[in-house]
Every structure is written in C-alpha cells, then in structure tokens.
Amino acid sequence: MTYEEIRKELEGLKEEMTVMERMMGYIRGEEVDHIPFRLVGSDTTADLYGYTLKQYRDSMEIRFDIMEKMHEEFGNAAIGIGLGLQSVGEALGSKMQYPENGLGFVTEHVLTDYAQLDDMEVIKPAGCPNLAEIMDTFRKSKERFPRWGAGNNVAGPMTTATSIRRLDLLLRDSVKQKENLHRLLDFCVQCNLSWIRAVTEEFGVLPVNIAEPSASLSVLSRKQFLEFEKPHLKDLVEGIKEITGRMPTTHICGKTKGIWEDLIELGFTSLSVDNSEDLEEVKRCVGGRMSISGNVPPVEVLKYGTIDDVIASVIDCLKKGSDSPMGYSLAAGCQVPPGVPRENLYAFIYAARKYGRGAKKGRLPRGLSDVL
C-alpha cells in the first residue's frame, strides 16, 4: 500500500471508543472496536514535528507541543511518570551523556568499589535534581492533560544496578563478589520503592510497569537469574503491591522463555515480550495465566521497514497473540528508536484498526477474517 492509500482507508476506520473505554471494555471481556495497542512515546516522534531530542528534553513547552500534536494526529492520550533505565544511577552520581538526537547513556559509573556502597543513601526524589525534574514534568503534564491516562515506570533491580556499576563488573561479581552483588541489588530495590512511594503519595495509585532488560537470558544465565535477580525482583514486586495495592506488569527485552514460569510465580499480571520471542509460544505457555503484549520489531520493521512490512508484521502478531485467553495488546517488541517514519506509524494504526477490528479477549478479532 502507499501512504496516500492508508490515509484514505483510515477515514473509513474511525475509532468508536476512547483509549480508556476500549481498554476497560476489553478487560471486562466485552467486544471493542479494535484491539488495544500502544504506539510510541512522544520522544520518539520529536523529529516528525521539527525538534531534536535535546530540545524535547530541555523544554517543557516543546514537549507539550509534541504531545498535543501526537494526540491530534495519532490519538495518543497517555502520560507517564517514571524512572528511566539510568535515572537512579544518575541520581547517585553516575555521569550521563545525552546526544542531540539520541538516547542518553552512562559514560562513567559511580560505583567502582563496593566500599562506596556503605556511604550511599537510598534516593529521595525531592532531593535528587534529575528525579525532582521528572516529578515536576509529570505534575505539569497532569495539569495540561487532566483527562489522559497515566502510568508509572521503574527499572528492575539488575537494570538499575547497571546504571550504578558496569555490567561486565556485575557479571564478574556474580562469581567473585556474590554477597556484595546481593547488597547492591537490594539497595536498587529500596531506591525504586522510595520512588514508588513518593509518586503514590503525591499522585495517588498509578499502574506500575517494571522494565528489566538486563535480567533477560540474553544477558544472564538462568542460574544467575535464579540466584541474583529473582529474589530481589520478588522484593520489588511485593513492595509495589504493598504501596499501591496492585501488582505490576513487566517488559523484558531479549530472550525470556526460560523464565516465563518464574515471572508468573512472582505475580506479574502482564508480560510484554521482545520480538526475539514467538508470540504463539508465549500465548501457549503463559497466556492462560497473564495477559501478553508485543511484539512488532521496532528497528527492522517500524523504523527501517516498508509500509507493507509494518502491516504484515501487525497481522502476524494478531494471528499469533490476539486470541490469548487472558488478553493481548498490540505493541512494539521493545522501545522504538527515534527516527521512525510517519508513514510507518500510520501503517501500524491502520493495521490495528482494520485487522484488529471487533476484538474480544480470548478470540481472534473479526477483522482478521479479511486475511484468514
């Protein structure tokens, strides 16, 4: 299809429900206008509206302008508060670099010797400039967009640890400094819970998602996951439940098949999987016990693929995952990098509305009859 054809087709595929109406109806087991889906964050689309990522980060008004334009053009109506993958490390003193048009990364980790950990204090968001700025941004976003849905995000224990100490050292610690690694991971959990507590006290209960790419089986062995990650992830999940009264969801990049049963045991209500895993297998293994989400390839398809590639990938995901017993939402397999073409975003929305039409939990959408 061409971009012009998609735009014309979308005129006849108008949405009949708001994002919240669709999601709540779907959760209740009702048929909704189309499959629930997540598009991309406003930072991903800064270039579509003539801004750099640096301008997006530095200016609240530019950020709001992008959010409003995303809402007008694509129907995005959600705001988020949360810790980025490196936020805790930055708050504690790790040095960051933020490229003009790229995602931030750690250039110097604060923890080079475990003796330093004895002097580190659990973060208090109000006392950390980068965390206070995140809180202020969310506060102003809620004032600007009071009817939009909102969620909270934290990085998991191992991912948080990689913002404080180099990953290669952490892997070495799993053999040579086990007790210290456990101390660090527990410290990371306490930092995350301090954040959750502060957000809940000011803004009320928000759904929480845990992003934990550094705990995937692409990074850790299953033995390392069970020995180091799982007990601390359990503490984080239970702490979130105690503070908010709700169990969190999770997204883990990379290979996760070998830990699916562990994630169910920990109590997660939803699992978002990377495109390195097969949605059919995810549905078969865990779909009867938690909802699933995914997993259009963010780089190969959404950023560098053609319109037809995007449509084909969405159809494939719907065929494999949309009849999952506990529910399914369409999403990219991981974070979509900056620079995704506008036409591919429209292709994603078009395919979700057309082929995900008439969605109901536990069965294939009626729209898939066009291609089955």
Side-chain angles (χ1 to χ4, degrees), residues 43 46-47 51-58 63 86 90 95-107 335 338:
D43 56 340
D47 66 307
Y51 299 113
T52 67
L53 264 178
K54 185 177 188 304
Q55 289 174 315
Y56 172 88
R57 287 189 292 260
D58 292 348
R63 185 174 302 197
Q86 299 92 18
E90 184 177 14
K95 305 301 182 184
M96 295 288 298
Q97 183 169 325
Y98 293 99
E100 184 78 22
N101 264 315
L103 302 176
F105 57 92
V106 178
T107 58
Q335 182 174 4

Side-chain angles (χ1 to χ4, degrees), residues 89 92-95 108-112 116 120 163-165:
L92 292 166
S94 289
K95 305 301 182 184
E108 184 180 333
H109 291 78
V110 64
L111 186 67
T112 57
Q116 298 169 268
M120 288 185 177
S163 74
I164 300 171
R165 184 166 170 82

Side-chain angles (χ1 to χ4, degrees), residues 310-351:
V310 176
I311 294 171
S313 185
V314 169
I315 291 173
D316 183 61
C317 287
L318 292 174
K319 286 180 178 179
K320 290 181 174 181
S322 62
D323 58 345
S324 194
M326 294 295 289
Y328 167 77
S329 63
L330 176 68
C334 195
Q335 182 174 4
V336 180
V340 62
R342 176 178 264 107
E343 54 266 30
N344 283 0
L345 296 178
Y346 274 103
F348 184 93
I349 294 170
Y350 162 78

Side-chain angles (χ1 to χ4, degrees), residues 350-370:
Y350 162 78
R353 290 186 190 175
K354 180 176 176 64
Y355 300 106
R357 185 181 72 252
K360 186 177 181 181
K361 186 165 59 177
R363 70 160 204 216
L364 295 177
R366 289 188 292 105
L368 275 183
S369 61
D370 296 342

